[in-house]
């Protein structure tokens, strides 16, 4: 295989879990490098559905080492619950490793996250209320609690005795909520630490050893490029870096060990929560996209919220290719478009204020909300693709649609998913050993 990063190339929920599952088959090590239980990944194996929030889906393969990296934030209660749901189904948890330096989502993070979001009223940012933002905020303020702290009761008590009174001021004075008891939190979270202890280690060292031993490593992120804290549609973003560059920091490795970066996009687009979405379809088309899914309706795995749906956006696609340095793309849920008479693609934006046209994203800031899509229409193929297993088996119009996306984004499409099952996949090009993407020459 190689050392490969898999990233979401849209607003998250692109179907990364299935692509990660496909690639993990030939990996020795799978590393999740950012985010927390705000993520939601669904994998269908042998008719069984597995839902992941924290644990890498590679755990479904025997013998794979799966790691939660230092760039993650971990809710111990959610971690242990998810782990139990897997071990109850017979999975071996001895291969699961948890970074000692990953930060811990504490009860006050959950409460403050929900209270802050509710207080925003019409200006909500769409948080999952899983405490992710406040956990990362404490990490940046250098006052966070890390996994290793849960293993030492004296250290944990010292930190809680300092932190909880300060959080209680916010809870009581700002949100009129009851104060928390640091002693109760100490006992509960120290016990969590004891239950998690066997998984805790220096994951960065293990990754380095795997590199030295020429193991194949798969780095997986949560959320998507347009939710990146630095490069996404701020402030409607997550609190970490889902983009390819985030893998190096979040896993604790240097960029020179990365061989390939694979992006994942749906054949259309979706977004959960608030924020600008230029190609969103709020009428019949949007509802049709949401409901047609072959295995499940378009709802968030973590929140259960209906996903906002719209046509494919090439402006954002080109941006994602650039920001991540994508070598190739995996296109998921092509089968959802099987019944459409007409399929539209956003090829450019028009600024509603200035009238100027853009093929490339002019800004991801406030002007992004003024962008109106310019569409190009394609005839649908009106034929099921769910049984296709090769490119030539796809309907001609479906092939034309994919060719157009690839050409416009200047990136190859290596994988096409036509259903939720492992075997409902068309592999066009080896995504691992295929040719490296070569940047177009700049004309002087």
């Amino acid at each position: 295989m190689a050392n490969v990063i898999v990233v979401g190339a849209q607003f998250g929920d692109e179907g990364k879990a299935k692509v990660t599952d496909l690639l993990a088959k030939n990996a020795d090590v799978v590393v999740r490098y950012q985010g927390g239980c705000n993520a939601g990944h669904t994998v269908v194996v042998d008719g069984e559905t597995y839902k992941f929030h924290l644990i890498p889906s590679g755990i479904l393969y025997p013998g794979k080492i799966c790691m939660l990296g230092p760039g993650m934030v971990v809710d111990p209660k959610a971690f242990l619950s998810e782990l139990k749901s897997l071990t109850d189904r017979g999975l071996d948890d001895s291969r699961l490793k948890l970074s000692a330096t990953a930060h811990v989502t504490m009860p006050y993070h959950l409460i403050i996250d929900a209270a802050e979001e509710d207080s925003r009223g019409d200006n909500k940012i769409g948080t999952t209320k899983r405490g992710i933002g406040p956990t990362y905020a404490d990490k940046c303020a250098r006052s966070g609690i890390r996994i290793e702290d849960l293993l030492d009761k004296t250290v944990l008590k010292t930190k809680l005795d300092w932190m909880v009174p300060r959080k209680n001021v916010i809870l009581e004075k700002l949100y009129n909520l009851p104060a928390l008891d640091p002693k109760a939190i100490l006992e509960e979270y120290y016990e969590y630490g004891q239950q998690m202890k066997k998984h805790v280690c220096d994951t960065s060292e293990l990754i380095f050893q795997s590199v030295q031993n020429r193991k194949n490593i798969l780095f997986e992120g949560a959320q998507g490029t347009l939710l990146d804290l630095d490069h996404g549609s701020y402030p409607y973003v997550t609190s970490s870096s889902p983009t390819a560059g985030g893998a190096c920091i979040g896993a604790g490795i240097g960029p020179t060990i990365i061989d390939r970066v694979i992006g994942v996009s749906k054949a259309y687009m979706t977004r959960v929560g608030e924020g600008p979405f230029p190609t969103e379809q709020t009428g019949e088309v949007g509802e049709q996209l949401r409901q047609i899914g072959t295995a499940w309706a378009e709802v968030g795995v973590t929140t259960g919220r209906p996903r906002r749906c719209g046509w494919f956006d090439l402006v954002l696609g080109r941006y994602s290719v650039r920001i991540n340095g994508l070598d190739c793309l995996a296109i998921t849920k092509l089968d959802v478009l099987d019944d459409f008479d007409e399929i539209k693609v956003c090829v450019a934006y028009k600024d509603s204020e200035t009238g100027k046209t853009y093929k490339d994203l002019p800004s991801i800031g406030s002007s992004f909300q003024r962008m109106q899509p310019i569409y190009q229409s394609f005839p649908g193929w009106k034929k099921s693709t769910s049984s296709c297993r090769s490119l030539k088996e796809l309907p001609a119009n479906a092939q034309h649609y994919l060719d157009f996306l690839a050409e416009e984004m200047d990136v190859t499409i290596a994988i096409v998913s036509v259903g939720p099952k492992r075997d409902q996949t068309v592999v066009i090009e080896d995504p691992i050993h295929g040719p490296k993407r070569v940047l177009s020459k700049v004309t002087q």
Side-chain angles (χ1 to χ4, degrees):
M1 190 179 163
N3 299 325
V4 177
I5 301 172
V6 176
V7 298
Q10 297 173 325
F11 289 105
D13 301 304
E14 300 96 346
K16 295 183 293 297
K18 180 178 176 181
V19 177
T20 302
D21 176 68
L22 176 70
L23 299 176
K25 180 179 180 180
N26 295 315
D28 301 301
V29 179
V30 182
V31 183
R32 166 89 180 272
Y33 59 84
Q34 51 75 227
C37 58
N38 55 337
H41 303 298
T42 303
V43 179
V44 180
V45 181
D46 298 330
E48 285 197 64
T49 299
Y50 296 84
K51 294 184 182 294
F52 296 92
H53 298 279
L54 287 164
I55 297 172
S57 58
I59 198 74
L60 296 176
Y61 285 102
K64 312 296 181 185
I65 302 298
C66 293
M67 302 185 193
L68 281 69
M72 289 188 65
V73 292
V74 179
D75 181 334
K77 189 182 297 186
F79 172 82
L80 291 168
S81 175
E82 187 172 327
L83 183 58
K84 185 177 185 302
S85 71
L86 294 173
T87 55
D88 284 349
R89 297 167 82 168
L91 271 79
D92 172 22
D93 69 345
S94 65
R95 301 171 285 115
L96 186 63
K97 308 298 179 182
L98 173 59
S99 172
T101 57
H103 277 248
V104 180
T105 297
M106 302 297 289
Y108 42 80
H109 293 136
L110 295 163
I111 298 170
I112 291 174
D113 193 8
E116 285 182 347
E117 180 74 349
D118 291 342
S119 71
R120 292 176 183 268
D122 294 337
N123 296 314
K124 291 180 179 179
I125 60 175
T127 172
T128 59
K129 301 182 180 180
R130 297 299 194 271
I132 307 304
T135 309
Y136 276 115
D138 278 355
K139 174 181 179 178
C140 292
R142 295 165 293 179
S143 57
I145 290 174
R146 307 204 294 189
I147 293 293
E148 61 188 359
D149 298 329
L150 302 186
L151 309 182
D152 188 321
K153 199 167 188 177
T154 300
V155 170
L156 182 58
K157 182 179 186 304
T158 300
K159 291 196 171 188
L160 289 174
D161 285 347
W162 184 87
M163 177 61 77
V164 175
R166 286 159 175 77
K167 297 300 183 183
N168 281 340
V169 172
I170 297 173
L171 293 174
E172 293 180 295
K173 302 299 184 183
L174 186 58
Y175 296 117
N176 196 31
L177 293 171
L180 296 172
D181 179 3
K183 293 182 180 179
I185 296 175
L186 172 64
E187 295 302 325
E188 180 181 5
Y189 279 72
Y190 178 71
E191 176 56 31
Y192 289 151
Q194 297 308 298
Q195 295 179 50
M196 300 163 70
K197 187 174 183 178
K198 68 175 183 178
H199 302 289
V200 179
C201 64
D202 183 347
T203 55
S204 179
E205 173 63 19
L206 284 182
I207 294 170
F208 181 70
Q209 291 174 2
S210 298
V211 172
Q212 288 187 312
N213 293 328
R214 301 187 183 279
K215 300 294 185 180
N216 298 317
I217 308 172
L218 181 63
F219 299 91
E220 65 167 272
Q223 291 85 45
T225 298
L226 276 304
L227 296 184
D228 187 274
L229 182 60
D230 294 298
H231 305 292
S233 54
Y234 190 89
Y236 305 100
V237 294
T238 192
S239 299
S240 59
S241 299
T243 44
C248 296
I249 296 172
I253 48 95
T256 54
I257 78 157
I258 301 301
D259 298 302
R260 300 273 288 179
V261 182
I262 301 172
V264 184
S265 291
K266 279 178 179 165
Y268 49 105
M269 291 196 80
T270 62
R271 179 167 196 168
V272 173
E274 310 302 319
F277 183 0
T279 64
E280 180 178 11
Q281 301 295 302
T282 57
E284 182 180 340
V285 170
E287 188 60 27
Q288 188 177 1
L289 285 169
R290 185 163 38 250
Q291 295 299 333
I292 280 181
T294 54
W296 53 82
E298 286 287 8
V299 296
V301 175
T302 299
T303 63
R305 294 179 295 191
R307 291 178 183 147
R308 301 155 62 193
C309 298
W311 297 119
F312 197 97
D313 189 329
L314 281 171
V315 181
L316 295 183
R318 297 182 192 106
Y319 177 75
S320 189
V321 170
R322 171 167 63 88
I323 289 295
N324 292 295
L326 297 183
D327 290 298
C328 62
L329 272 175
I331 298 292
T332 63
K333 289 199 170 184
L334 182 71
D335 53 304
V336 172
L337 300 180
D338 288 350
D339 293 331
F340 282 84
D341 295 313
E342 179 186 50
I343 297 167
K344 293 185 178 181
V345 177
C346 170
V347 294
Y349 290 159
K350 181 178 180 180
D351 189 318
S352 61
E353 187 175 294
T354 67
K356 189 174 181 179
T357 300
Y358 299 91
K359 285 194 69 176
D360 294 301
L361 193 63
S363 169
I364 202 67
S366 58
S367 63
F368 186 39
Q369 304 197 45
R370 302 199 307 265
M371 298 300 153
Q372 297 178 336
I374 298 173
Y375 289 113
Q376 183 169 332
S377 296
F378 295 83
W381 41 91
K382 304 293 289 182
K383 179 181 178 182
S384 174
T385 58
S386 61
S387 61
C388 296
R389 298 295 181 269
S390 67
L391 179 61
K392 66 180 181 180
E393 292 177 5
L394 290 172
N397 284 350
Q399 293 184 44
H400 177 60
Y401 178 71
L402 294 172
D403 286 342
F404 180 78
L405 298 183
E407 183 177 352
E408 285 292 314
M409 289 184 286
D410 190 24
V411 67
T412 59
I413 294 175
I415 297 171
V416 179
S417 173
V418 291
K421 298 177 182 177
R422 276 179 174 170
D423 67 339
Q424 289 182 297
T425 308
V426 175
V427 178
I428 301 171
E429 172 191 286
D430 183 344
I432 305 303
H433 300 108
K436 289 284 290 182
R437 178 172 179 266
V438 178
L439 296 176
S440 299
K441 293 181 180 179
V442 177
T443 302
Q444 300 297 324

